[in-house]
Amino acid sequence: MAPRTLFDKIWDSHVVETLPDSTAILYIDRHLVHEVTSPQAFEGLRLSGRRLRHPDATIAVVDHNVPTSDRTQPIEEADSRNQIETLERNVKEFGVPYFPLLSARQGIVHVVGPEQGISLPGMTIVCGDSHTSTHGALGALAFGIGTSEVEHVMATQTILQKPAKNMKVVVEGQVGPGVTAKDIMLAIIGHIGTAGGTGHVIEFAGSAIRELDMAGRMTICNMSIEAGARAGLVAPDETTFEYVRGRPFAPKGEAFDAAVAYWKTLASDEGAHYDRVVELRAEDITPVLTWGTSPETVIPVTGNVADPASEADPSRRAQMQRMLDYMGLEAGQKIAGTPVDVVFIGSCTNSRIEDLRAAASIAAGRRVAHGVRAMIVPGSGIVKAQAEEEGLDKVFVEAGFEWREAGCSMCLGMNPDRLTPGQRCASTSNRNFEGRQGPGGRTHLLSPAMAAAAAVTGTLTDVRELI
Amino acid sequence: MDKFTVLTAIAAPLPEENIDTDKIIPARFLKTTKRSGLGVHAFDGMRYRPDGTENPDFVLNREPYRKAEILITYDNLGCGSSREHAPWALLDFGIRCVIAPSFADIFNNNCFKNGILPIALPREVCTELMDDARQGANSRLTVDLARQVIIRPDGREVPFDVDPLRRQLLLEGLDDIGQTLQHEKAITTFEQRRAQAQPWIPHIVLD
Ligand code: SF4
């Protein structure tokens, strides 16, 4: 057999049948469900009298709509409450396993899946949410789907898809101090652009990727979507197996050994073909952030924002100017030293225990700058409990950060955590679109350590000055 | 999904171009949990006045078009946001067939996925069909999908093209799910093979 990539192997092993126009009926191992994109799918099943084929391959959580403050109070926003209550009725009716709001296991769907051992290497994983790519860090083929497809998966445990192209992004070398997985990924997006991965599944490889822990790999794969890719992947290795071992829903004992033996066969073969290969040197990557309203507007924290005058293409020049105006920045200005109003540490990109430790190491013994609102939103109840066991909550609270309950929170303006117009936010989330964190809000994407640095200095700051 | 075979129905003329999905269903109605029930909000901005009362000039507020099942417009129907709520709203209103010189791509797909037949015809033909539609209640159009013709009130026929696979799905009332379920045996076989090859794959069961 011709050498195959990791993507090819997972794909091939899940094709149930190939239809005449090369569309595959692709088997799905795990379906993750949340409250926003599922109600019409459940309703569709009900109206057509269909059953949900595999509740035992499905898991539901609430995350997008939930408040991250006191959970014992009823949810105030009626629409949000209704979406949550609807999910609760649906999971009951269709027998879907569910982590409710008050469960310690509740959290952002893309944090919960890996954490519980529900997402495993070699699997196909889907969810009605674009950042499903996160689970690719385990060496699983994971992508976001629309509501009709959610219903399709519920009814058939498959989706209809045409194969993607293979792309490899290689990062060799060792990153310098203060440079994290987030900086690596933002640097990649800055390099290839938000359409750079269109039509492709990206496999991330190279020593700098292999050196990352699972949380870091999840950060990388999470933002494959911002690079335009259908999904992101990292080949499973010892780091992966150790991460999976002992998780609540992972195989145990002999079954685990059998699984590992299989997972070891998944890595791309020597000589496998990639349609596109991009290489970066880890040493060239510095702490970075975005200045504009597209995730590709990445600059080093020591750098200057773009100057439209240097752009020859008129429509691009106009777009740059629009971004500058929206962001309240001057062409060519130094980005460091720009004052922030809000700091958000959370989201499925950066809310795992490793992220919180990184933020706490900067926050420890310092104070949130006067006038800055800084919030820490753990990705799940489990992450929150772990952080409290390690005393990180005390570090944060003593430094003046808010210590909140798990959820999507200020990653998107769908729950009470929102920016107000004109507020500038240093955010560890993944999208900086206009209004994403609340109408008129200005988002700078950066790493948890950089976010903590912004909180304690009150400005966008090179974290290396604080370590 | 309901079958689409022969539809004899009242057609509503809406002689506008670039009717986007925001017009078909405005964003504020997307925080719903239902696919059904969006019909009252279909064309909300055109159909209701700011005080919430009906705009009597809008075609779907007039008899006999309140019961229209066919909608005829000009170019690029369904452009803009990809929201599946747009065909959901049309279907819930009662529309089963849309006729226009051209459709936005995603909207076109979403129509088929939801049992609505989009028919693309030259602009002059659309104008003629709109004239037919203006003749009122006794002036129904018949859309015969099997024969791929529209039969006008005077008996003349207008042929149309449609993708053969999609035509088949509509005739049989199969949505994508129905189509995939025709391969259910293959899915079951796959599951059995997988259970043997990878018996370690856990089932998610909560205690
Ligand atoms: S944290 Fe943000 S990106 Fe992640 S699932 Fe929630 S809303 Fe989507």
Side-chain angles (χ1 to χ4, degrees), chain A residues 13-17 19 25 27 29-30 39-41 43-44 50 53-54 56-58 65 79-80 83 86 97-99 118 120 148 151-152 155-156 158 160 249 251 255 258-259 262-263 414, chain B residues 1 28 30-38 84-85 88 110 113-114 165 173-181 183-184 186-188 190-191 193-194 198-207:
Chain A
S13 65
H14 287 82
V15 172
V16 172
E17 220 172 307
L19 304 177
I25 301 181
Y27 196 77
D29 295 313
R30 291 287 183 257
Q40 288 89 355
E43 194 200 27
R50 290 181 176 126
R53 187 175 176 94
H54 278 296
D56 61 351
T58 312
N65 269 300
D79 290 351
S80 298
Q83 278 193 330
T86 303
Y98 169 59
F99 297 145
I118 287 169
L120 295 171
S148 279
E151 185 183 340
H152 192 278
T156 69
T158 67
L160 301 173
F249 292 89
Y262 172 69
W263 296 339
M414 197 163 187
Chain B
M1 205 169 81
R28 62 182 179 281
L30 306 189
K31 220 175 166 176
T32 168
T33 56
K34 298 224 173 293
R35 213 180 302 230
S36 57
L38 287 170
E84 211 166 312
H85 300 70
W88 294 346
N110 282 341
K113 266 189 195 166
N114 288 281
L165 190 73
L174 286 177
D175 50 10
D176 280 356
I177 298 177
Q179 188 200 13
T180 302
L181 285 175
H183 302 263
E184 189 169 11
I187 298 173
T188 305
F190 180 94
E191 286 172 339
R193 229 182 333 116
R194 174 173 167 278
Q198 292 162 27
W200 47 264
I201 294 179
H203 300 282
I204 307 171
V205 180
L206 298 187
D207 18 81

Side-chain angles (χ1 to χ4, degrees), chain A residues 253-282:
Chain A
E254 277 175 30
F256 181 76
D257 298 338
V260 170
Y262 172 69
W263 296 339
K264 283 184 174 166
T265 67
L266 293 173
S268 295
D269 298 328
E270 195 72 40
H273 172 75
Y274 292 89
D275 301 277
R276 189 173 173 208
V277 178
V278 172
E279 294 178 25
L280 276 79
R281 287 297 311 175

Side-chain angles (χ1 to χ4, degrees), chain A residues 180-361:
Chain A
T180 67
K182 185 65 165 282
D183 301 290
I184 296 176
M185 192 55 194
L186 285 173
I188 292 171
I189 296 166
H191 185 71
I192 68 173
T194 48
T198 304
H200 293 76
V201 167
I202 302 178
E203 179 177 343
F204 297 93
S207 55
I209 303 291
R210 277 199 306 278
E211 281 302 305
L212 292 173
D213 58 24
M214 289 309 294
R217 295 178 187 186
M218 288 185 219
T219 301
I220 299 263
C221 288
N222 173 275
M223 291 192 73
S224 308
I225 295 307
E226 277 64 44
R230 279 212 219 154
L233 286 167
V234 177
D237 59 9
E238 287 305 322
T239 304
T240 321
F241 309 145
E242 280 320 301
Y243 174 89
V244 171
R245 186 193 298 277
R247 304 246 156 216
F249 292 89
K252 308 263 160 27
E254 277 175 30
F256 181 76
D257 298 338
V260 170
Y262 172 69
W263 296 339
K264 283 184 174 166
T265 67
L266 293 173
S268 295
D269 298 328
E270 195 72 40
H273 172 75
Y274 292 89
D275 301 277
R276 189 173 173 208
V277 178
V278 172
E279 294 178 25
L280 276 79
R281 287 297 311 175
E283 290 79 7
D284 297 340
I285 302 173
T286 62
V288 292
L289 44 68
T290 61
W291 64 265
T293 53
S294 163
E296 69 189 19
T297 57
V298 176
I299 50 172
V301 63
T302 51
N304 299 37
V305 308
D307 185 350
S310 66
E311 175 60 59
D313 181 84
S315 77
R316 288 182 135 188
R317 190 161 59 229
Q319 197 193 348
M320 265 183 177
Q321 189 57 50
R322 261 203 314 281
M323 287 201 224
L324 286 174
D325 295 345
Y326 181 85
M327 292 298 291
L329 296 169
E330 298 292 330
Q333 79 166 75
K334 249 172 81 70
I335 195 71
T338 308
V340 299
D341 305 297
V342 177
V343 171
F344 170 60
I345 297 178
S347 89
C348 58
T349 315
N350 281 124
S351 62
R352 298 178 182 82
I353 188 69
E354 294 82 352
D355 300 313
L356 302 195
R357 286 179 192 141
S361 75

